[in-house]
Amino acid sequence: MDRPKPFSMIREFHLADWITLANAFCGVGALFSVMTYLQTREVLHIYFACGLIPLALVFDVLDGRIARWRQRSSAMGRELDSLADIISFGVAPAAIAYGCGMQGLYDRIVLVFFVACGVSRLARYNVTAEKLSEGGDKVKYFEGTPIPTSLLLVMVLAVAAMQGALGEQLWFGSTRIAGFTLHPLVLIFAVSGSLMISRIRIPKI
């Protein structure tokens, strides 16, 4: 009786999977840049962090196109894509917001909510992708806004950084509620997270 071959991660990787990993590398690089900014307060590192997110989006688009072009996709590839996306478009934007000054208790609650919505959005997509494809090979639409739309939030923070609106100078200032701080700007993350877990249908281009 033939014994099943042990799973070899490297052998199972396709070209598209390496591109997906590049997406994750960008997200982790953004996290390190935010950490460096918090240590040095050199705004250049915020620019680096914000700049890595659109680069991650380029890799996110490329991996799907390469997989379709080579007709090589796998369950592991789909899981890799989701994990990379939550780093680059969920955790990294939240960390950038924190680095920019959204560090109050309510800010952190909103940012955790945003990341949780992103994780939930990706999990829902993974379990409903077959249904959403309506029997075809390609998903026809998204339920809820795709997590890479957080790039828009990162662009807002990049503009704020360019204008020196960081920390105490953050747009819309801050307010105290029951002794804890809320920066109203963080509410764009609450809106983005809510849209990700909504049932609105977004056609997939």
Side-chain angles (χ1 to χ4, degrees):
M1 184 176 179
D2 293 335
R3 299 176 64 181
K5 291 182 179 180
F7 179 79
S8 172
M9 186 175 70
I10 300 301
R11 276 204 307 267
E12 290 294 323
F13 265 38
H14 303 304
L15 177 59
D17 299 330
W18 292 107
I19 301 298
T20 301
L21 285 180
N23 170 4
F25 293 160
C26 289
V28 175
L31 293 173
F32 286 149
S33 292
V34 173
M35 293 178 197
T36 305
Y37 168 74
L38 290 171
Q39 290 177 322
T40 65
R41 294 297 169 179
E42 294 178 4
V43 72
L44 182 63
H45 297 292
I46 290 292
Y47 299 152
F48 286 152
C50 292
L52 284 167
I53 304 307
L55 183 58
L57 180 61
V58 170
F59 289 126
D60 187 44
V61 172
L62 275 177
D63 66 6
R65 299 203 173 192
I66 289 173
R68 288 191 292 273
W69 167 56
R70 293 173 61 90
Q71 297 183 334
R72 302 286 293 274
S73 61
S74 65
M76 189 173 79
R78 288 190 294 273
E79 295 301 321
L80 273 176
D81 188 64
S82 292
L83 293 170
D85 283 356
I86 196 56
I87 296 170
S88 297
F89 307 116
V91 177
I96 294 171
Y98 182 88
C100 287
M102 302 178 206
Q103 299 171 8
L105 174 63
Y106 297 116
D107 301 334
R108 284 176 278 171
I109 290 172
V110 170
L111 294 175
V112 168
F113 168 78
F114 167 77
V115 174
C117 288
V119 172
S120 302
R121 163 70 175 76
L122 290 166
R124 181 177 68 181
Y125 175 81
N126 286 348
V127 300
T128 61
E130 185 175 344
K131 177 183 175 183
L132 296 179
S133 66
E134 297 176 353
D137 294 328
K138 188 177 178 182
V139 172
K140 303 294 191 299
Y141 61 89
F142 294 110
E143 274 193 344
T145 53
I147 192 171
T149 55
S150 64
L151 174 61
L152 298 175
L153 307 180
V154 172
M155 291 172 63
V156 169
L157 298 177
V159 173
M162 290 175 189
Q163 296 185 359
L166 299 175
E168 295 299 320
Q169 306 302 317
L170 202 62
W171 291 334
F172 308 117
S174 63
T175 185
R176 299 281 290 181
I177 303 173
F180 299 103
T181 302
L182 169 72
H183 291 86
L185 186 60
V186 81
L187 296 178
I188 62 176
F189 283 84
V191 172
S192 177
S194 298
L195 289 174
M196 283 193 286
I197 59 173
S198 70
R199 299 302 298 271
I200 61 174
R201 292 188 175 189
I202 310 288
K204 185 174 182 180
I205 300 174

